[in-house]
Amino acid sequence: MKHAFDTHGAQVRSPTRREFLGLGLRAAALVSMGTLPAQGRESSWRARGNPFALGVASGDPAQDGFVLWTRLSLDPLTDGGIPQDPVGVRWEVALDEAFRRITARGDVLALPELAHSVHVEVEGLKPGRDYFYRFTAGGERSPMGRSRTAPAPDSQPTRLRFAVASCQSYQSGYFTALRHMADEDLDAVLHLGDYIYESGQWGQSPVRRQGPEVVSLAEYRARYALYKSDPDLQAAHARHPFIVTWDDHEVENNYAGALPSDDATPEAFLARRAAAYQAFYEHLPLRRSSMPRGPDLRLYRTLRYGALADLYVLDTRQYRTDQPCGDGIVRRCDGARDPKATLLGAAQKQWLLDGLARADARWTLLLNQVPFAQLDNDPGEGARYDTDKWDGYLTERKTLLESFRGHPARPVIVTGDMHANVAVDLKQDFEDPSSPTIGVEFIGTSISTAGDGDDLPSFGEAILRANPHVRFFNGQRGYLRCTLTAEAFSTDFRVLEYVKRPGSPVSTRATFVVEAGRPGVQTA
Ligand code: FE
Ligand code: CA
């Protein structure tokens, strides 16, 4: 192929030596020298097949680029079969699907210390347009991906469209929703967590088997590889850039900061968290700023989509204090009002409040994991709240609600976790239905978790009856499709008929609109 290098000045920065300190000196030395492995080593494995069995992905769009991701593996159901050496990988970004007009390319090393994953931060591209990308290694070529840069920060895009995904349990059903998402015209997919489930088998008859609970790095890697082998997940990644955060199941059900929900010691749990965070980084299109350091990984961040939307990606797991009142759906206790109770941790909370105070985009979108609105689960006289959600952290929620009140863009929160579609008016005082509405939350249902589902399950009826600020509830599988213009923020609840068999059609169950300057959801 002709050497059409950097025709638009695109470039990629190699990771600094310091960024690789946690990964061993051999890797750091190789990266700083930019040494590629001898070609002879590659010939010993490339005869065995195509090493892109886990697909390709892109993520975290900026106005001038995005992250490209792949992980070399010859077989998702084993350790991948790639020799324990660094492997040279070429990446190419083009303006056309035939790759005649290549606008950026480069070579990187896939390191065994990072499970032969590749993260390329492409720069120098043009804002708000589509690009195509692919990788080559050992003479084999990857599938092609498409990505899209964000609009220029001060531009006024006429329309943005995002899909919102969460909770993809492999054993609960097929990822048909992701296949339909791949057919949408989107700027990005916002994935709000439970990308994998760490758990062992649920119930007697899983739709697909995923094996026992995972704890070690090798086990988390294998779990990601299994999920990544899914053709519908691969299709969604190849078609759209993803902006991802996590919830609990990327590590362990309902963990809180350094506290496990099982009886592991804090030391053992932090070792597990480090393994889980590393595997998360290795399998998702994240920037170097999210390189894990032991049990720590900086995931909260901001993305700007022109003057139309600022996206705040939250992490409500890594820094949170323990769930109060016992972890579950319980009567409210004093612990929920503890001023020290936090989901964000002090640094992230300050980052968010500072950002909201300065935000000047038309829409401010918070990518949140667990439901923000008050949700009473008791349809009768009593009140019972799920303390794993913001309902367990009332002081911090009140602080955020107060910051929304003075905010011209009246933030819109998108949330996963609940395995249900919900549209909610956020009230200044949830106990008083006549208090002002000062924001909106759209909760998106699961991709597959909880199986086929129903339009209105009994717990949905209870929630609707007990919470007048909840405007809509649906218990099917699917995803949100959010369309943003200067005038309105519109959310389509896209639902499937079933997930226990492949091939369900998708339809729009309901559409709700937020008009700019008028907080609260309206029926479309
Ligand atoms: Fe979930
Ligand atoms: Ca969850």
Side-chain angles (χ1 to χ4, degrees), residues 167 194 197 248-249 417 419 449:
C167 295
D194 291 359
Y197 282 77
D248 51 343
H249 288 288
D417 176 58
H419 315 156
T449 311

Side-chain angles (χ1 to χ4, degrees), residues 13-52:
R13 186 174 74 83
S14 288
T16 64
R17 186 185 175 89
R18 207 153 65 86
E19 282 162 340
F20 274 94
L21 266 186
L23 299 169
L25 288 174
R26 186 170 74 94
L30 276 165
V31 168
S32 63
M33 292 186 314
T35 309
L36 291 175
Q39 292 300 313
R41 288 191 192 278
E42 287 177 8
S43 60
S44 64
W45 58 267
R46 77 185 190 202
R48 290 164 54 193
N50 184 291
F52 297 101

Side-chain angles (χ1 to χ4, degrees), residues 63 127 150-160 162 303-311 358-365 407-409 484-487 516:
Q63 63 158 328
D154 297 324
S155 66
Q156 306 281 347
T158 49
R159 192 192 86 161
L160 293 171
F162 301 109
L303 294 96
R304 186 167 174 96
Y305 272 79
L308 196 51
D310 281 331
L311 276 52
R358 278 198 314 268
D360 59 353
R362 189 68 160 179
W363 299 99
T364 298
L365 197 50
H407 194 287
L484 288 67
T485 66
E487 292 77 40

Side-chain angles (χ1 to χ4, degrees), residues 94-136:
L95 293 164
D96 63 314
E97 294 184 59
F99 287 81
R100 290 200 184 88
R101 290 181 291 154
I102 291 178
T103 189
R105 64 153 55 129
D107 296 299
V108 286
L109 283 177
L111 301 173
E113 289 84 348
L114 288 171
H116 292 105
S117 63
V118 168
H119 298 75
V120 178
E121 293 185 44
V122 184
E123 297 170 354
L125 305 179
K126 293 209 162 40
R129 66 164 299 163
D130 284 7
Y131 289 92
F132 302 90
Y133 63 91
R134 66 186 181 191
F135 298 93
T136 314

Side-chain angles (χ1 to χ4, degrees), residues 386-435:
D386 190 338
T387 59
D388 184 60
K389 322 307 181 199
W390 285 86
D391 267 330
Y393 302 81
L394 301 180
T395 307
E396 191 161 272
R397 180 168 70 192
K398 196 156 184 288
T399 304
L400 285 187
L401 281 168
E402 271 159 20
S403 81
F404 297 172
R405 196 147 54 115
H407 194 287
R410 306 283 190 177
V412 175
I413 302 182
V414 289
T415 301
D417 176 58
M418 199 173 165
H419 315 156
N421 285 308
V422 191
V424 193
D425 284 337
L426 299 176
K427 308 301 282 186
Q428 189 176 319
D429 177 4
F430 286 108
E431 303 294 349
D432 174 9
S434 69
S435 86

